[in-house]
Amino acid sequence: MQRSTAAADTTQAILVTLWNAAMALGGIFGGLLLQSSGVTVVAASAAALGAGSLLIVAGARHHAFPNTQTTP
């Protein structure tokens, strides 16, 4: 039981670190994009990244949570 607790703690620490790094990099790249290209390009980039993320989540949902219920 001790090993699984340590693994969960390590996994949570990695998750928090990656989340914070993603927020920092998003701010840096967003600021650079805003400075070089303007607001319209930032909005279009955000929309494209959001659409791509939505497609990945929609596709992975069926793989991660397969329908195991049988219909009577």
Side-chain angles (χ1 to χ4, degrees):
M1 190 68 124
Q2 181 68 16
R3 183 175 175 170
S4 64
T5 303
D9 289 343
T10 302
T11 304
Q12 186 65 29
I14 292 169
L15 177 67
V16 169
T17 302
L18 290 176
W19 180 262
N20 287 329
M23 290 292 119
L25 289 173
I28 291 168
F29 288 132
L32 291 172
L33 189 63
L34 179 63
Q35 185 179 16
S36 67
S37 300
V39 176
T40 306
V41 175
V42 173
S45 298
L49 288 170
S53 297
L54 182 62
L55 289 173
I56 290 170
V57 168
R61 182 177 60 97
H62 297 292
H63 178 71
F65 303 105
N67 186 9
T68 58
Q69 295 178 348
T70 58
T71 55

